[in-house]
């Protein structure tokens, strides 16, 4: 389901059919009623969706979830059944006319501008600017925030894991069983892929989104075998089909014996676990061309690795190439290095080219910190399977995305707060990313909708929206307008087509690479600057003074 | 949709239609193929689902998610489309017979025993015991773990919030916008209700599960108003319909004036914010009988509270009773006390009975700690609206539920680990809760399936499963078998009917009340004891020695 727009340009509904107009807070409907009752429901309002702080102690965020929002508004309609439920949920005194009104609403009169999905984004800059009848746009708040919050959070988490693991490693998302509910799992698979993961174990996500699938076997598989006697059909034909080995089990045992008595490996292990060996052989007979074994059920170095190598060498005799091992417990730095040494010894001792390069996958409660620690210790892991900490965003389980009214009836609105970081930036705005000489983004700037856009080569004053003394001149080498039209409503704007998941992922990877490295580092990253134009700055502070009550000291 | 079993006893599918047999890890299918290829797929296996550690630093957990698991297995069938996708995802060498096999499987041969949903449960004790053909039961692992992990985690989190807030407070789940995806939101609403919350803001959850709905209005509603001129229709009829007040706005203004110049309140505030006042009046005109106002958009004490009181007093004149206020920022302890004082002064000054009891709802980034801190400081909050920290389980975003093979072909299996806490308890087992004289549960005990059950009044040796020296004799006053049959498969066991959501919630509240208080306290709670019978203890350690490789010191 890569393409969500069908041949006539219609857009599919949200991936999860439970995302309906009722997936919202009750107060959106009570407010809609109050607007309607006051005759105010058609007033044209502009809302900004943004977040206030980058997650995970970092200085960047990946924006994700946009496609689901577009799917949602493209199909926004209340069914009769839903309207009846709303009627039951509101006070009996609510007038019928309101329900007739609800029956008629859709998003044909809503305009939605957004930063492209997969972009690197920063606090305060609107990710979405949504304009339309106030009652309708309010109904979109909760679903939009829900759809973007977790999506952006987990994409960012994935990008951070990629950042610490490095480009050369394979990253596998293994989080389905620990995710917050079924669709936490599906969303995690999708958005971790956007953030730079290579594959998932989640079959449903593979089917829905076309994400590459990966998997091996589990401890239960290994311990379900008791002995070699359980293997009934011991035959395996050579890969080229030229002949058949009638007793693959004996072939493996011969190799195990050879390893056991080899000069370089002698004494590392005694007798290996036979139920484990039986499980490995059985798995190899089923998947001779993609044999990958979980080696830590009994003892990695004394049983798992030798058993794996015996099976891999027997497969090699028949023309197959084993894939590698998975480590799921213990000291992953130490075990991966020991395993690598073992593989290299085998390559040398038995002259098996490439055997030393056998893939090592690690997968036990990994997160940014543990991968960083592994890097520092030195390890031989080729692929990381990451679950719990990735998909639940354990280090910070929520992103504070908000949706604030900035203009109604062409009147700019501000939301004040004792906490300056919670004051909203009023006005229908545009935003731009200004790039410096070296090609790095330097600063994002917000302007009023009708201000002239910043020009390349022009000296522009960028002001901190709230701190008077913080300002800087910038002469941009490139200016990128951030908000694009994804839903034109009744306007004649061209609608951006929705990119495929792969394109979104590509954009994300590219954008992350384009950032100045000091914004991206794990420890003490440099904050990226977010600013407003001088004109917008003045207007914010005029409005602020206008709205704030004057205190009386007593 | 309270009742999930229809008249002919059929069970509906999972609430979320995305919960299909493909919502699983790829390796469950590769293992199924390997079992099938080895002719082992029909071997009868027993798996235990349990967790290893109580969450949130506590000593108890609420078990939830069972109903969804039963709905899942009751409808477990692979569609042709799904089988085709699995075929594409597995190596091309996989034989056709396997896909024919997949086409035929369902859960008619699976037996599922479980502790009733909503029970208080403890580490290591199986929540589910699932028995059936090994290949089929493996396919259930990931969906079961996914469906139970978050459900139990968030129910427990809700129960902990209830515990700290106390019985007399109203607890509202307001988490939809911060939840991990749409169904993170829906599940949160459902399972927080089970854990003891009173209502949710999530309309879809209200419709799906029959959970009471609650909501007020937002800052955007307040700031969408500019002035009193926006109120066109100013009339409001008396509650009893006897007459109509033609200018409710003037009535409110008169009251505001009276409050402003009242002797007891004089000087607390100057001019209140008029756009806020307009919003309140407008909301009151729409909901005269359920007026609840968000009072912190501009300034709680100088604007929000006086404005609210003026509207509430005007409503009172017409026979209506306002509900109360919501505080969403600032020092909630201080502001709630000041608001209460203000309400009480009004009650006294204007002789309005009960005005002092106006409900105060608080809702800003609340969690267990902040509620505890509020309790210590003293506050006047009647209801807590809790979002982010509750639904994302911010303090611990995952519960480590696992699914381990304990028996196959009547051969008990153990999973070893360097980490003793990760060693599984082998054998098909039964478990019991033993109660003491005072009616409190004393200890949970696991026995082999065929051991005689503990009897009331009998002296029973309860052993720690792994620590030799930890054991105790118990003479139970009551013995409760924990596992009940929720899916009998082909056996002739009676299937427990699925309780309604309200019954599950009732059970949860009751079970929590029944626990000895020292297990439940927030700081340094006493661990509840979990044990095995002497016979099972001996068997575990026999098997352990049998499976563990003997090291060789070098």
């Amino acid at each position: 389901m890569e393409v969500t727009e069908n041949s006539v340009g219609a857009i599919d509904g949200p991936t999860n059919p439970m995302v309906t107009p009722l997936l919202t807070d009750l107060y959106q409907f009570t407010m809609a009623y109050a607007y309607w009752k006051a005759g105010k429901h058609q007033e044209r309002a502009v809302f900004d969706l943004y977040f206030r702080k980058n997650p995970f102690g970092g200085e960047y965020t990946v924006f994700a979830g946009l496609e689901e929002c577009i799917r949602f508004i493209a199909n926004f309609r209340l069914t009769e059944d839903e309207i009846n439920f709303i009627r039951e949920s509101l006070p009996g005194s609510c007038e019928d006319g309101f329900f007739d009104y609800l029956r008629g609403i859709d998003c044909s009169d809503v305009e939605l501008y957004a930063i492209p999905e997969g972009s690197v984004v920063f606090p305060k800059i609107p990710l979405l600017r949504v304009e339309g009848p106030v009652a309708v746009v309010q109904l979109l708040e909760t679903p939009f925030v829900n759809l973007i919050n977790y999506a952006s959070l987990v994409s960012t988490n994935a990008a951070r894991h990629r950042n610490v693991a490095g480009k050369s490693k394979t990253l596998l998302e293994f989080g389905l069983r620990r995710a917050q509910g079924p669709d936490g799992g599906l969303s995690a698979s999708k958005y971790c892929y956007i953030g730079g993961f290579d594959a998932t174990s989640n079959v449903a996500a593979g089917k829905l989104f076309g994400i590459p699938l990966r998997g091996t076997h589990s401890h239960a598989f290994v311990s379900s075998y008791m002995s070699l006697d359980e293997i009934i059909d011991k035959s395996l034909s050579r890969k080229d089909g030229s002949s058949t080995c009638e007793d693959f089990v004996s072939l493996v045992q011969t190799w195990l014996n050879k390893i056991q008595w080899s000069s370089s490996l002698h004494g590392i292990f005694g007798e290996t676990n036979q139920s484990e060996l039986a499980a490995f052989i059985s798995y190899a007979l089923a998947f001779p061309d993609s044999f990958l074994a979980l080696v830590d059920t009994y003892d990695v170095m004394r049983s798992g690795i030798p058993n794996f190598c015996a099976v891999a060498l027997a497969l090699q005799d028949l023309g197959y190439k084993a894939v590698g091992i998975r480590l799921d417990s213990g000291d992953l730095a130490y075990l991966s290095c020991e395993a690598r040494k073992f593989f290299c010894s085998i390559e040398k001792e038995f002259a098996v080219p490439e055997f030393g390069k056998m893939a090592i996958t690690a997968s036990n409660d990994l997160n940014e910190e543990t991968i960083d620690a592994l890097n520092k210790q030195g390890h031989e892991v080729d692929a990381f399977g990451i679950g719990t900490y990735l998909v639940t965003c354990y280090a910070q389980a929520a992103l504070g995305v908000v949706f604030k009214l900035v203009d109604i009836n062409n009147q700019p609105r501000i939301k004040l707060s004792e906490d300056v970081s919670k004051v909203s930036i009023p006005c229908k705005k545009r935003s731009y990313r200004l790039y410096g000489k070296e090609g790095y983004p330097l600063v994002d700037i917000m302007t009023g909708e009708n201000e002239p856009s910043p020009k390349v080569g022009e000296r522009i004053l960028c002001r901190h929206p709230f701190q008077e003394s913080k300002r800087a001149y910038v002469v941009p080498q490139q200016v990128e307008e951030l908000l694009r039209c994804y839903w034109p409503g009744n306007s004649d704007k061209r609608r951006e087509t929705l990119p495929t998941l792969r394109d979104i992922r590509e954009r994300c990877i590219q954008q992350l690479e384009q950032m100045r490295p000091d914004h991206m580092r794990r420890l003490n990253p440099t904050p990226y600057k977010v600013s407003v134009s001088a004109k917008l700055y003045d207007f914010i502070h005029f409005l602020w003074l206008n709205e704030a009550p004057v205190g009386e000291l007593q």
Side-chain angles (χ1 to χ4, degrees), chain A:
Chain A
M1 210 153 72
E2 286 268 320
V3 178
T4 58
E5 302 185 49
N6 68 29
S7 51
V8 294
I11 295 178
D12 290 335
T15 302
N16 186 340
M18 302 184 83
V19 179
T20 68
L22 290 201
L23 192 73
T24 197
D25 292 302
L26 179 66
Y27 78 178
Q28 310 290 10
F29 286 109
T30 57
M31 286 189 282
Y33 181 74
Y35 286 134
W36 177 85
K37 182 86 171 102
K40 201 178 156 69
H41 53 297
Q42 300 286 20
E43 288 185 5
R44 202 130 182 109
V46 183
F47 284 79
D48 282 349
L49 182 146
Y50 60 98
F51 60 95
R52 296 186 181 120
K53 203 173 173 309
N54 290 302
F56 309 118
E59 290 294 348
Y60 65 97
T61 299
V62 172
F63 170 47
L66 175 61
E67 179 186 328
E68 295 293 332
C69 293
I70 304 300
R71 286 171 172 233
F72 179 67
I73 61 170
N75 296 277
F76 185 94
R77 272 299 222 180
L78 285 154
T79 66
E80 206 51 39
D81 182 42
E82 289 168 339
I83 291 169
N84 286 337
F85 183 74
I86 297 161
R87 191 196 291 267
E88 287 165 29
S89 306
L90 294 183
S93 59
C94 291
E95 297 167 28
D96 283 347
F98 174 65
F99 303 101
D100 295 338
Y101 164 68
L102 286 185
R103 205 166 279 122
I105 58 172
D106 59 23
C107 288
S108 59
D109 198 20
V110 171
E111 286 174 51
L112 185 148
Y113 286 72
I115 299 180
E117 187 160 6
S119 298
V120 174
V121 292
F122 303 97
K124 300 190 198 83
I125 300 287
L127 307 174
L128 256 57
R129 189 186 77 199
V130 190
E131 180 175 346
V134 63
V136 174
V137 180
Q138 283 257 246
L139 291 177
L140 305 175
E141 171 176 13
T142 309
F144 278 2
V145 173
N146 177 281
L147 290 168
I148 287 172
N149 228 326
Y150 176 62
S152 299
L153 185 71
V154 76
S155 295
T156 307
N157 205 15
R160 294 181 64 86
H161 280 78
R162 168 58 75 194
N163 195 35
V164 65
K167 274 194 213 177
S168 67
K169 302 298 173 190
T170 299
L171 292 186
L172 312 170
E173 177 270 310
F174 282 177
L176 178 56
R177 63 187 70 189
R178 294 282 182 270
Q180 298 202 346
D183 147 311
L186 282 163
S187 305
S189 303
K190 175 176 175 182
Y191 295 114
C192 288
Y193 186 63
I194 287 180
F197 270 57
D198 297 297
T200 178
S201 64
N202 179 347
V203 182
K207 183 163 192 296
L208 268 172
F209 307 120
I211 303 172
L213 289 172
R214 287 286 286 275
T216 58
H217 60 238
S218 74
H219 294 117
F221 182 81
V222 177
S223 49
S224 77
Y225 283 81
M226 302 288 287
S227 81
L228 294 172
D229 302 342
E230 286 174 72
I231 302 171
I232 312 298
D233 182 357
K234 302 177 182 181
S235 69
L236 181 60
S237 54
R238 292 186 61 87
K239 184 166 182 182
D240 61 13
S242 62
S243 65
T244 294
C245 164
E246 293 303 331
D247 190 349
F248 185 70
V249 176
S250 294
L251 183 61
V252 171
Q253 283 175 310
T254 309
W255 271 113
L256 191 58
N257 216 30
K258 280 191 207 169
I259 302 170
Q260 217 143 5
W261 296 105
S262 88
S263 54
S264 58
L265 305 165
H266 182 67
I268 291 185
F269 63 98
E271 206 190 334
T272 61
N273 187 295
Q274 294 299 290
S275 59
E276 180 180 65
L277 185 63
F280 287 3
I281 293 175
S282 191
Y283 204 73
L285 288 169
F287 299 104
D289 227 6
S290 52
F291 177 58
L292 202 160
L294 175 64
V295 293
D296 69 340
T297 307
Y298 299 102
D299 187 298
V300 174
M301 294 312 299
R302 285 200 294 250
S303 185
I305 297 279
N307 278 338
F308 165 77
C309 289
V311 176
L313 288 163
L315 284 172
Q316 173 98 13
D317 279 351
L318 304 180
Y320 299 102
K321 205 163 169 308
V323 174
I325 58 162
R326 179 160 74 97
L327 296 168
D328 191 40
S329 60
D331 181 335
L332 299 173
Y334 170 80
L335 290 172
S336 67
C337 293
E338 289 299 303
R340 181 70 68 212
K341 268 195 243 164
F342 202 100
F343 296 151
C344 289
S345 299
I346 289 199
E347 172 168 342
K348 216 169 144 193
E349 172 110 10
F350 302 109
V352 196
E354 309 270 293
F355 202 95
K357 296 202 181 112
M358 200 63 77
I360 300 176
T361 302
S363 63
N364 182 33
D365 279 351
L366 295 170
N367 60 24
E368 269 195 79
E369 278 65 42
T370 50
I371 295 172
D372 190 47
L374 284 172
N375 289 344
K376 281 173 184 151
Q377 289 168 74
H379 66 84
E380 286 289 339
V381 174
D382 303 294
F384 293 103
I386 313 182
T388 312
Y389 291 93
L390 175 68
V391 305
T392 64
C393 299
Y394 208 93
Q396 182 183 324
L399 178 68
V401 167
V402 296
F403 191 76
K404 295 289 169 192
L405 179 72
V406 295
D407 186 289
I408 186 163
N409 277 335
N410 295 315
Q411 299 292 325
R413 303 305 287 147
I414 192 168
K415 146 94 179 68
L416 302 180
S417 173
E418 307 263 317
D419 179 357
V420 172
S421 74
K422 286 192 166 183
V423 173
S424 66
I425 297 177
C427 302
K428 182 171 175 183
K429 297 178 290 290
R430 294 175 185 265
S431 0
Y432 304 88
R433 184 158 295 173
L434 309 184
Y435 291 77
K437 274 181 222 154
E438 292 167 71
Y440 294 126
L442 286 182
V443 62
D444 284 5
I445 184 168
M446 292 172 264
T447 72
E449 150 96 302
N450 296 317
E451 285 186 60
S453 67
K455 306 257 169 330
V456 168
E458 206 176 69
R459 198 154 169 261
I460 296 151
L461 181 60
C462 298
R463 300 202 62 163
H464 186 289
F466 304 121
Q467 292 179 42
E468 206 177 356
S469 63
K470 288 195 177 174
R471 60 230 152 120
Y473 281 105
V474 172
V475 181
Q477 302 302 304
Q478 189 197 328
V479 174
E480 181 190 7
E481 177 150 18
L482 292 172
L483 290 171
R484 302 186 191 171
C485 179
Y486 282 90
W487 190 254
N490 291 329
S491 79
D492 53 4
K493 291 280 171 4
R494 199 182 64 81
R495 175 164 69 77
E496 296 278 332
T497 48
L498 293 173
T500 64
L501 186 61
R502 262 164 238 269
D503 289 343
I504 296 171
R505 180 172 187 267
E506 216 32 70
R507 178 181 187 86
C508 176
I509 292 170
Q510 218 174 16
Q511 288 242 322
L512 291 163
E513 275 175 9
Q514 205 182 24
M515 292 300 298
R516 215 173 61 204
D518 59 315
H519 299 308
M520 311 302 285
R521 69 185 171 219
R522 286 189 64 236
L523 284 179
N524 300 320
T526 313
Y528 179 83
K529 287 192 176 52
V530 165
S531 66
V532 294
S533 67
K535 204 168 162 190
L536 184 54
Y537 178 91
D538 290 341
F539 186 74
I540 294 170
H541 293 264
F542 160 77
L543 206 63
W544 193 338
L545 285 177
N546 219 30
E547 296 280 2
V550 184
E552 284 182 40
L553 293 177
Q554 288 165 33

